[in-house]
Amino acid sequence: MKHVIDGLEVASADGRTFEVRNPATGALVERVAEGGATEVARAVDAAQQAFDDGRWSKLPVSQRYRILNRFAQSIEDSLPSLSTLESTCTGRPLREMSAQLSRLPEFYRYFAAVARTAEDSLTPFEGPYLSYVRRVPLGVVGQITPWNHPLLILTKKLAPALAAGNTVVVKPSEYTPLTTLQLAKIALEAGIPPGVFNVVAGFGGEAGRALSSHAGLAKLDLTGGTETGRVVAQTAGANLVRVNCELGGKAPVIVLPDADLEKAAGGAIFAAFIATGQTCIAGARILVHESQAQDLIERMVARAVSLRMGDPLLAETQLGPLVSERQLQRTEEYVAIGIKEGAEIECGGKRATSGALGQGFFYEPTIFADVRSSMRIAQDEIFGPVTCVLTYKDLDEAVRIANDIPFGLGASIWTSDAAKGIKLSERINCGVVWINDHHRIDPSLPWGGMKASGMGREAGIEGYREYTQTKSVVVNLDEPVDWYATTKTLRLS
Ligand code: NDP
């Protein structure tokens, strides 16, 4: 597959390509053009041209609204093929991918509606003036995305960016560029003009670096690891490019003593092992009252060992492989660290190799008990099917442990008393707190992290606004004052 730049499928100038492989089997899925600074420069130029000539940014919002709705419909029509391709490249079970991608059209429809209904404001400017504030697009936006939810994460950025009238250059993850390239083609067919949505495939160290250091961007929006965020924010910041970063996380799942333990166990397993634990809000720190720990662990283990691992494309599969050998090794290293730190493995703890599983990067769902918050397995983002159970004596200790981590993206609270859950949510330093649920998102819900989990917000009205900037217009309704000709005392502000 080739880059999509200015409405055309183009190879890299130097002809380089790289392989995308199926993590469940190791089989080659496709060779993809490998871009670098040349392709990024070409894509940013195309996006700048498209922005400047107004083919999208100056289109009446009612027309952008119609085109984005057509795009949403085309995505809906393509869901079966997009889900299969996404599942093949990420290794995530088709059941999960289909459920996740079925949400995509909503995002385009929601943000099209937000743009269509956005109203500018009048300000109470003192004196004989009419002053109004418009929201205008930013310009060319760079978007760098990870491999764990390739299309969903892209959509959270792309839908508001396009709705607001920006033009975009996307650098998808080297592991999962295919669906993003496919989406760019669907966009063209749906009537999004050439040059508005460009995709350069390639590696983070080269294409990603070239995009994040391009001085022509108005904004750079990254979802990725916290270390990548630090590098990218510095690079873009040096060019005074505004930056949004959605970064790592390690979500606490707080089980209150009054919770239904069976439901909480189901919730904890869902929080921990969906996407084989490769999510930024993986429930990786399960907090339970010390008197209930054994009971909860037994219920969690019973569920974890019964998860059906296998071919992601089969309807019955519940747990797929890790995305890459690198993620598999990282998981193995962290499990070894956990054992060395003195934590106890309750289930899992090894690679799954039986039958066809041996060809892929499969790892058994793993639950650690006897974990202290200071242990590395409880502090670092493992990004694999590994979760830790920690105990608390009282609510204050639960809060202390929940917040005792550099990340602050998501958390969940399990309780039979919603009021108790709401009160507790006030004390948790995270961008999102679910009560009796986990992983739930909506186009209308602002998303973003506190602390080392990121800066800025995506989705919701706030996410839309972050893809716009204000322009204030002040109209003098009186005769202009001739400043140097008058002797009257005047005010400037
Ligand atoms: P990475 O940080 O490795 O990569 C993210 C993207 O950045 C990829 O496209 C990558 O390219 C690119 N990249 C890597 N290095 C650079 C660089 N120096 N300059 C510019 N671009 C670069 O993350 P992963 O893809 O491994 O994704 C997992 C991470 O994403 C986890 O930490 C997870 O928590 C986080 N995440 C956060 C979410 C949130 O909403 N807060 C949601 C989902 C994931 P390449 O793939 O070629 O390396």
Side-chain angles (χ1 to χ4, degrees):
M1 253 176 154
K2 296 175 180 167
H3 314 291
V4 177
I5 300 175
D6 209 8
L8 301 171
E9 292 178 49
V10 294
S12 292
D14 57 11
R16 280 185 303 163
T17 59
F18 65 100
E19 293 179 343
V20 173
R21 289 192 170 269
N22 179 334
T25 61
L28 179 68
V29 181
E30 188 133 358
R31 291 200 73 87
V32 180
E34 182 183 337
T38 307
E39 287 69 35
V40 165
R42 194 172 161 186
V44 175
D45 284 351
Q48 190 67 60
Q49 174 66 34
F51 187 79
D52 290 345
D53 69 18
R55 71 186 82 161
W56 185 249
S57 55
K58 297 275 193 293
L59 212 57
V61 68
S62 54
Q63 279 193 46
R64 279 210 303 270
Y65 170 83
R66 275 197 287 278
I67 295 173
L68 284 172
N69 274 286
R70 211 154 57 216
F71 184 32
Q73 189 56 52
S74 304
I75 295 171
E76 201 156 304
D77 296 342
S78 309
L79 282 177
S81 61
L82 285 173
S83 304
T84 304
L85 189 56
E86 193 91 308
S87 185
T88 304
C89 299
T90 59
R92 292 188 55 186
L94 187 56
R95 182 169 169 257
E96 263 175 50
M97 263 0 298
S98 304
Q100 184 171 89
L101 298 199
S102 70
R103 302 293 306 276
L104 300 185
E106 267 177 76
F107 278 81
Y108 295 95
R109 292 181 179 126
Y110 172 84
F111 282 106
V114 168
R116 184 71 182 86
T117 55
E119 292 181 3
D120 294 331
S121 57
L122 282 178
T123 68
F125 200 102
E126 190 185 338
Y129 296 96
L130 168 72
S131 151
Y132 61 91
V133 181
R134 297 187 53 226
R135 285 212 164 255
V136 297
L138 299 171
V140 179
V141 173
Q143 299 180 337
I144 302 181
T145 54
W147 45 262
N148 60 339
H149 319 297
L151 281 185
L152 178 69
I153 286 172
L154 172 62
T155 289
K156 289 202 294 184
K157 302 179 188 308
L158 185 64
L162 293 181
N166 300 283
T167 58
V168 180
V169 177
V170 180
K171 204 300 282 178
S173 165
E174 75 201 51
Y175 295 106
T176 55
L178 300 183
T179 48
T180 300
L181 290 162
Q182 193 60 35
L183 194 73
K185 293 189 223 168
I186 295 173
L188 285 165
E189 282 161 14
I192 293 181
V196 171
F197 169 21
N198 307 276
V199 183
V200 176
F203 293 84
E206 196 182 342
R209 192 186 296 264
L211 185 56
S212 59
S213 59
H214 201 296
L217 299 184
K219 169 170 171 153
L220 184 80
D221 193 345
L222 165 89
T223 295
T226 295
E227 283 320 306
T228 308
R230 287 188 213 283
V231 172
V232 160
Q234 281 181 36
T235 313
N239 287 324
L240 300 182
V241 169
R242 67 182 75 195
V243 179
N244 185 70
C245 284
E246 302 295 336
L247 306 176
K250 195 168 174 94
V253 173
I254 307 167
V255 179
L256 294 185
D258 66 5
D260 176 324
L261 274 198
E262 192 53 34
K263 287 183 189 158
I269 292 293
F270 170 62
F273 298 131
I274 199 97
T276 315
Q278 302 166 113
T279 80
C280 46
I281 34 156
R285 291 157 62 85
I286 316 292
L287 275 59
V288 58
H289 190 268
E290 57 185 5
S291 65
Q292 295 174 318
Q294 200 48 44
D295 193 353
L296 183 75
I297 289 169
E298 280 168 19
R299 292 169 195 262
M300 285 175 62
V301 168
R303 285 168 176 268
V305 298
S306 71
L307 293 178
R308 290 185 297 275
M309 229 185 288
D311 178 354
L313 294 182
L314 294 178
E316 66 265 25
T317 298
Q318 295 175 314
L319 203 68
L322 289 146
V323 76
S324 63
E325 179 140 33
R326 189 173 130 217
Q327 283 308 119
L328 179 70
Q329 281 170 359
R330 184 180 169 88
T331 303
E332 288 177 328
E333 278 164 25
Y334 268 102
V335 169
I337 289 169
I339 294 168
K340 212 160 153 199
E341 286 178 312
E344 281 294 324
I345 290 187
E346 297 288 334
C347 66
K350 58 182 190 305
R351 187 175 179 170
T353 52
S354 70
L357 297 185
Q359 293 169 353
F361 308 123
F362 290 89
Y363 198 90
E364 292 182 2
T366 300
I367 299 175
F368 271 114
D370 292 340
V371 179
R372 288 187 312 281
S373 179
S374 58
M375 288 179 178
R376 280 188 64 198
I377 52 166
Q379 288 288 321
D380 298 355
E381 189 182 39
I382 300 176
F383 232 59
V386 180
T387 192
C388 301
V389 179
L390 299 96
T391 59
Y392 63 84
K393 289 188 174 58
D394 55 35
L395 206 56
D396 286 342
E397 191 179 23
V399 170
R400 216 163 35 243
I401 297 173
N403 290 330
D404 173 32
I405 186 145
F407 301 114
L409 190 55
S412 64
I413 296 169
W414 294 80
T415 174
S416 57
D417 180 347
K420 210 182 262 176
I422 291 168
K423 269 195 217 155
L424 180 56
S425 73
E426 300 290 324
R427 302 175 67 190
I428 307 299
N429 301 329
C430 284
V432 57
V433 181
W434 294 278
I435 296 169
N436 293 330
D437 217 325
H438 204 103
H439 287 300
R440 301 294 171 185
I441 59 159
D442 193 84
S444 64
L445 186 78
W447 181 265
M450 296 183 182
K451 304 193 280 184
S453 286
M455 48 202 259
R457 291 290 179 268
E458 62 187 11
I461 301 291
E462 198 165 336
Y464 174 77
R465 288 191 160 192
E466 291 203 11
Y467 272 103
T468 65
Q469 56 194 331
T470 58
K471 176 181 276 187
S472 304
V473 179
V474 181
V475 186
N476 183 3
L477 301 174
D478 270 0
E479 277 301 303
V481 170
D482 188 340
W483 180 267
Y484 292 107
T486 183
T487 51
K488 279 201 287 189
T489 306
L490 297 171
R491 290 177 62 192
L492 267 182
S493 58

